[in-house]
Amino acid sequence: MSLRKATDSQSAVIDNSYVANGILQRQCNCGRHTIGGGECSACSKKRGAVQHAAVSSERAGGFVNTPGQSAETTRSLAPDWSQIPTRSSRRDVEVPAAPTNSFEDCPADWKTKANEALARGRPWVSNVITGLSNLPDPIPAPVARLLNRHFHTTWREDIRKIVGHFNTIYSAMNASIDFECETECDANVAAYVYSIWTDLHLCPVWYGLSANGQANTIIHELAHDAANRDDEAYVWQAKYATLSVDDAIDNADSYSYFAEEAQTP
């Protein structure tokens, strides 16, 4: 794998009107993405630090549509993992209780929402690991469609790598996480992490997301922080559908949206 870019990218919620109007985010000098261009306010303060995050879009009904794809088509991509035969008898997923998380400058309701987001996201990731680790041959069509949408591959060796990264994310979700709550962030920024620190920073935009959006964002950030995944493209961008397999496997949004959309509607 090539050396990771020393960029400063953020987890942001982009109003759908920006996409509809063709106004895409522009990358600032330090690598952060912002609407309309110009240098982000934190760039000059934090130019020396390497930072990673996601751009997440709040979706109607919890799904983002790629260009030319209807909401109903996207929703139908979610496979029913219970219908996939496994190499061993299926049983209810047992999600271990995570250690107590630490919080800095976080109001009580932010702590509650962060813990709830983790509790929501853990079964998503656990079910994905179980499902992808026990795929029959041939791969069921709903699973193949979801793999092709987010990772652009159904090759078994690629799936093995993807499962490995999901395992790393899952381990991080079941370890103590250091949350730091911010009173203000750059416009549209929901959360971010730095590669040189382990803190996961939550912004006011994150607090206003849906429960699914909050869980999705945390999975994305842990894909950066724990699994060392990058921001090759965000799910709402047209280029998301044209990433190479290697770039898709290296892309944080691929993991958070696959995990969310793999749940049975």
Side-chain angles (χ1 to χ4, degrees), residues 12 57 64 96 106 161 165 172 177 213 236 255:
S57 179
V64 171
C106 293
K161 294 177 184 177
H165 294 312
I177 297 175
W236 50 268
Y255 294 86

Side-chain angles (χ1 to χ4, degrees), residues 85-265:
T86 63
R87 291 193 271 276
S88 59
S89 299
R90 289 192 64 88
R91 57 185 173 80
D92 292 338
V93 174
E94 296 178 1
V95 180
T100 302
N101 299 307
S102 67
F103 295 90
E104 183 176 344
D105 300 325
C106 293
D109 54 342
W110 285 55
K111 297 178 184 179
T112 299
K113 284 183 176 290
N115 286 327
E116 288 175 347
L118 279 167
R120 176 178 291 264
R122 282 191 206 104
W124 295 358
V125 177
S126 179
N127 286 335
V128 164
I129 293 168
T130 300
L132 292 183
S133 298
N134 294 279
L135 286 174
D137 191 9
I139 297 173
V143 181
R145 286 195 297 269
L146 201 62
L147 283 165
N148 281 319
R149 166 166 158 74
H150 294 294
F151 295 107
H152 309 162
T153 182
T154 56
W155 190 41
R156 294 285 176 163
E157 181 60 22
D158 290 333
I159 294 172
R160 185 190 66 77
K161 294 177 184 177
I162 292 164
V163 170
H165 294 312
F166 271 120
N167 272 313
T168 301
I169 293 167
Y170 187 62
S171 294
M173 298 182 81
N174 287 287
S176 180
I177 297 175
D178 300 323
F179 288 103
E180 187 169 339
C181 298
E182 307 293 343
T183 57
E184 61 178 327
C185 298
D186 283 356
N188 300 310
V189 172
Y192 59 92
V193 293
Y194 288 97
S195 63
I196 56 177
W197 295 296
T198 59
D199 305 59
L200 199 164
H201 299 255
L202 301 175
C203 298
V205 169
W206 174 86
Y207 181 84
L209 294 177
S210 67
N212 276 7
Q214 290 173 344
N216 181 306
T217 300
I218 288 177
I219 292 171
H220 181 115
E221 298 308 328
L222 293 177
H224 288 309
D225 200 33
N228 202 34
R229 300 299 87 193
D230 214 329
D231 284 323
E232 304 292 349
Y234 302 117
V235 72
W236 50 268
Q237 292 179 303
K239 78 174 197 175
Y240 187 86
T242 62
L243 289 176
S244 68
V245 172
D246 286 344
D247 282 348
I249 292 175
D250 188 42
N251 191 48
D253 248 14
S254 300
Y255 294 86
S256 61
Y257 280 94
F258 186 97
E260 180 178 353
E261 292 180 14
Q263 308 316 301
T264 303

